Amino acid sequence: MADPQVAAPPPGALGRATLERFLDASPPLVEGLRDRAAQLQPHGIDLTLESLWRFTDAGSIGGPSPGRRLPERQLVEPGADGWYTLEPGPYVAVIHERLHIPTTVMALAWPRSTFLRCGAMLGTAVVDAGYEGRPEALLVVANLHGISLAVDVALCQLVCFTLTERVPGYDGAYQGR
C-alpha cells in the first residue's frame, strides 16, 4: 500500500483538519464517502451501511481442520420504502466506504450512540495499519421489538490514531476485501 503523502501529525487521535488532509491524499484514507461534509466529524468519519446479511450456518475459527471458515449468509433486502425492518438477532453489516489505512495510523470503529439507544449493538475490530478494503461489523439487534434502519444509515464512526512508528502493515486474509 502506498501511504498518502501527509505530514505526520503528533501521536494521538486525529482531528478534523488532519482527517481532511488524509481524505485529500492519494489514496484517500476513506474512499466513497456519500456526503463528506456530513460524514466528517470533529474527530472521526462516519461510515455508512452498504448491505446487511443474515447468518445461515456456523463458522469455525483457528486450530486444525477445518480451521477458519466463515459462515454462509443470506442478503437481507430492504423494503420498498428504503428501510430494513430487522427482528432481534445477529446480522453482518458491510460498510459502504473503502478504507486505505496508512502504515503510520490505526483505527477503531465505534457505533453511533443512537444504535445503543435503540437497542442495537455493533461489534467492530481494530482496523490495522496498512489495511485496505471494505470492513464488516456484527450488528446485534437486542431490542425485543426489533429495529428499522435506513438503507444508507451511518453505522459507526471511524476514529484514527497515529502510531509512534511506521509498521509493516496488515497482510492478513481480509486485505483488499
Side-chain angles (χ1 to χ4, degrees), residues 69-130:
R69 189 185 77 72
L70 299 179
E72 295 293 321
R73 50 195 188 183
Q74 176 183 26
L75 182 65
V76 177
E77 297 286 352
D81 60 356
W83 287 80
Y84 293 97
T85 302
L86 304 178
E87 297 176 1
Y91 300 85
V92 175
V94 177
I95 303 297
H96 169 77
E97 294 79 12
R98 185 171 176 79
L99 307 182
H100 302 277
I101 307 297
T103 56
T104 56
V105 172
M106 59 82 58
L108 300 172
W110 296 96
R112 300 300 306 169
S113 63
T114 304
F115 275 81
L116 304 173
R117 291 180 170 110
C118 287
M121 299 174 284
L122 198 66
T124 61
V126 170
V127 183
D128 290 317

Side-chain angles (χ1 to χ4, degrees), residues 19-54:
L19 289 169
E20 286 190 283
R21 289 195 302 274
F22 274 98
L23 288 174
D24 291 337
S26 181
L29 178 70
V30 178
E31 181 181 356
L33 292 171
R34 295 175 191 271
D35 181 343
R36 180 174 167 156
Q39 288 178 253
L40 186 58
Q41 302 298 318
H43 49 36
I45 301 168
D46 284 344
L47 302 179
T48 61
L49 180 63
E50 174 68 26
S51 59
L52 278 173
W53 299 79
R54 184 175 288 114

